[in-house]
Amino acid sequence: MAKPKIMTVYGTRPEAIKVAPVIKALQLDNRFDSVAVSTGQHREMLDQVNHMFEINPDYDLGLMKKVSTLSGVVSMALSGLDEIIEKEKPDVIISQGDTSTAMSAALAGFHREVKIVHLEAGLRTGNILSPFPEEANRRIIGQVAALHLAPTETSKDNLRRENFESRDIAVVGNTVIDALLEAATWDTTFADERLNALAETNQRLVLVTTHRRENLEAMAEIGAAVQELAEAYLDTVFALPLHLNPKVRNAVLPKVDMLDNVIITDPLPYDQFTKLMERSTLVLTDSGGVQEEAPSLGKPVLCMRDNTERPEAVLAGTVKLVGTNRQRIVSETRMLLDDENAYAAMAQAVNPYGDGRAAVRSIAAIAELLGVGERLPDFGPEAPQEPGLDEPRLSDQLGE
Ligand code: UD1
Ligand code: UDP
């Protein structure tokens, strides 16, 4: 009898990072055939991750070179994926998160009556316009999904409030923590000499990432905030691995590229980025993934957004929403740099997003969906440990 075929679709950097542990686990699981499909919504930033995790997708639609509008990406992804689905006839399609690629994968699969599994399901801000278009994408994927792999109890609660059945939801943790733990085992050096030199010092380091579409108008404000901070704190280094979106670069670069204590780099390979995050004093970001990773590393995060679909670390006190107003970003960063107590209060290692076993739980839940296995207990602080599971705590593994 043919094995059930699981098609994992991804196309951007964060999806690649978050599906990598699942694809690798599927490849080792002889109950399934695994097909990895990239839409190529990103190019260099995606290739970096594929290279890092040694994943060669079976298909790549190369979309980034062909289109750039939201509808362009979605329409090309739908038609390209439809052909692959028709040829491969998967039993399940895994769609991760909330990008244009993820939404297209879910819809293309649904049109062909394939079971959709939503990895990182149930994240919600409650505002359909923010983040844009991701909040709409995740809701659309949820509507067509047969199985919702929620990272946390909070995300499961969001789905329950929308009347999804409890039996169709598994709380698995976020696979980004699986990826982070794997990266922590790699032997990494920075390719950029300035970062290598910095790693040898005790200098304070503020790590900054920004790319959100709804922040593009405010991007120059974010750049101006970093400029003001860098000019005020000459003993502190500000590192900006800049997203390749030209709109981001054109807004941010003119504000900061002449300052000696600002290090601008291209997007860093995942191992170097996570090493830099571990070396940092604090993080300014509008990224989803970074909001999940930095708390595990005990790094305070000032999140340059007005809302978040990841409230767990905000409630734990390690992430603070500061919006995109220049003065607010500057004053909140100043407080963390000037006030030891304020800093210590936020610099707590918390792991609300995972324990490194999200991929294993995800595959077990998919096996149950396909009638070839049983689910594992849900991830959660209160979840009983599985028998025989005596792994060290996440923060111990990360050297905290
Ligand atoms: C996309 C996702 C967003 C996710 C982000 C992660 C959507 C609608 N948005 O946003 O949810 O948080 O990825 O980074 O799906 N570019 C390159 N090389 C690359 C990648 C991007 O040059 O490797 C440039 C291209 O000019 C591209 C632009 O960046 O057109 C924007 O890329 P796009 O995927 O449209 O949006 P992101 O802002 O990256
Ligand atoms: N990241 C990376 N290199 C960088 C910046 C970020 O590998 O230079 C990783 C980061 O560790 C996280 C992911 O990219 O796992 C987040 O991607 P991004 O911020 O582009 O997207 P989002 O998570 O906001 O969707």
Side-chain angles (χ1 to χ4, degrees):
M1 205 174 78
K3 295 177 186 177
K5 188 181 280 184
I6 301 181
M7 179 182 285
T8 308
V9 182
Y10 64 107
T12 65
R13 169 173 67 189
E15 291 165 280
I17 292 166
K18 289 172 172 178
V19 299
V22 177
I23 293 176
K24 295 188 89 164
L26 280 173
Q27 286 168 346
L28 295 173
D29 192 324
N30 59 19
R31 289 173 297 178
F32 306 111
D33 275 339
S34 167
V35 183
V37 178
S38 157
T39 62
Q41 180 179 332
H42 283 174
R43 192 67 283 156
E44 301 86 344
M45 288 162 58
L46 181 76
D47 294 343
Q48 271 183 338
V49 182
N50 280 332
H51 178 71
M52 217 66 267
F53 286 93
E54 298 176 328
I55 290 174
N56 292 311
D58 301 287
Y59 297 87
D60 191 318
L61 297 174
L63 289 192
M64 199 193 84
K65 297 255 182 315
K66 298 177 190 155
V67 271
S68 59
T69 62
L70 289 176
S71 293
V73 170
V74 171
S75 61
M76 295 283 287
L78 277 174
S79 56
L81 290 171
D82 188 56
E83 281 179 30
I84 299 172
I85 295 167
E86 190 183 15
K87 179 165 170 239
E88 291 287 344
K89 303 200 175 5
D91 297 282
V92 158
I93 290 179
I94 301 178
S95 151
Q96 198 287 330
D98 51 24
T99 65
S100 295
T101 287
M103 193 272 279
S104 307
L107 199 53
F110 180 70
H111 287 161
R112 291 264 175 202
E113 298 179 52
V114 180
K115 288 191 173 78
I116 305 303
V117 172
H118 190 196
L119 181 62
E120 199 183 69
L123 276 64
R124 297 287 187 273
T125 61
N127 178 351
I128 193 83
L129 294 176
S130 177
F132 178 86
E134 290 84 358
E135 177 82 358
N137 286 343
R138 7 173 127 111
R139 294 196 205 178
I140 293 166
I141 300 167
Q143 290 303 318
V144 298
L147 173 64
H148 311 264
L149 300 175
T152 65
E153 275 298 327
T154 309
S155 41
K156 177 176 178 177
D157 291 345
N158 291 337
L159 292 166
R160 293 288 297 125
R161 266 194 295 279
E162 293 172 20
N163 294 325
F164 292 103
E165 298 286 346
S166 229
R167 64 168 178 271
D168 298 332
I169 308 169
V171 180
V172 296
N174 199 308
T175 52
V176 79
I177 303 298
D178 303 28
L180 185 64
L181 285 173
E182 183 171 350
T185 66
W186 297 335
D187 191 13
T188 301
T189 44
F190 294 110
D192 187 307
E193 267 318 311
R194 295 164 301 174
L195 296 180
N196 255 339
L198 178 71
E200 300 302 314
T201 72
N202 296 325
Q203 247 184 314
R204 291 192 300 194
L205 166 66
V206 178
L207 176 59
V208 186
T209 83
T210 178
H211 73 84
R212 292 242 81 82
R213 195 171 278 263
E214 69 276 9
N215 277 355
L216 287 176
E217 273 185 24
M219 212 56 80
E221 278 273 294
I222 292 173
V226 177
Q227 176 184 7
E228 189 175 333
L229 286 162
E231 286 171 349
Y233 293 87
L234 294 173
D235 60 345
T236 302
V237 174
F238 294 77
L240 284 76
L242 275 188
H243 192 287
L244 291 180
N245 187 342
K247 290 180 184 155
V248 174
R249 302 178 87 81
N250 294 341
V252 175
L253 274 174
K255 306 284 183 197
V256 290
D257 67 349
M258 76 308 268
L259 299 173
D260 287 341
N261 55 336
V262 174
I263 300 177
I264 312 272
T265 69
D266 279 342
L268 293 173
Y270 188 60
D271 61 336
Q272 296 180 42
F273 183 77
T274 51
K275 184 171 166 155
L276 194 62
M277 197 160 36
E278 201 169 359
R279 168 64 183 77
S280 71
T281 311
L282 64 101
V283 181
L284 296 182
T285 192
D286 59 13
S287 160
V290 176
Q291 274 179 76
E292 292 154 350
E293 293 160 339
S296 305
L297 299 168
K299 305 299 173 185
V301 174
L302 297 178
C303 179
M304 298 184 290
R305 293 177 48 182
D306 296 324
N307 57 23
T308 182
E309 55 293 280
R310 296 168 170 89
E312 295 85 351
V314 177
L315 289 171
T318 67
V319 173
K320 189 169 185 182
L321 292 173
V322 299
T324 52
N325 174 276
R326 178 173 60 86
Q327 281 162 345
R328 175 94 197 272
I329 296 169
V330 169
S331 64
E332 295 283 355
T333 308
R334 276 181 170 279
M335 188 156 75
L336 290 180
L337 291 175
D338 294 344
D339 179 343
E340 273 178 31
N341 293 332
Y343 181 83
M346 283 186 78
Q348 310 290 336
V350 294
N351 305 315
Y353 298 114
D355 59 358
R357 292 175 46 83
V360 174
R361 288 193 193 88
S362 298
I363 290 171
I366 294 170
E368 186 183 78
L369 177 74
L370 291 168
V372 295
E374 279 180 20
R375 276 190 206 187
L376 293 170
D378 278 354
F379 162 71
E382 299 83 25
Q385 294 277 297
E386 286 112 65
L389 188 72
D390 56 355
E391 289 160 14
R393 289 173 345 122
L394 175 60
S395 49
D396 296 338
Q397 293 175 62
L398 292 167
E400 288 298 304

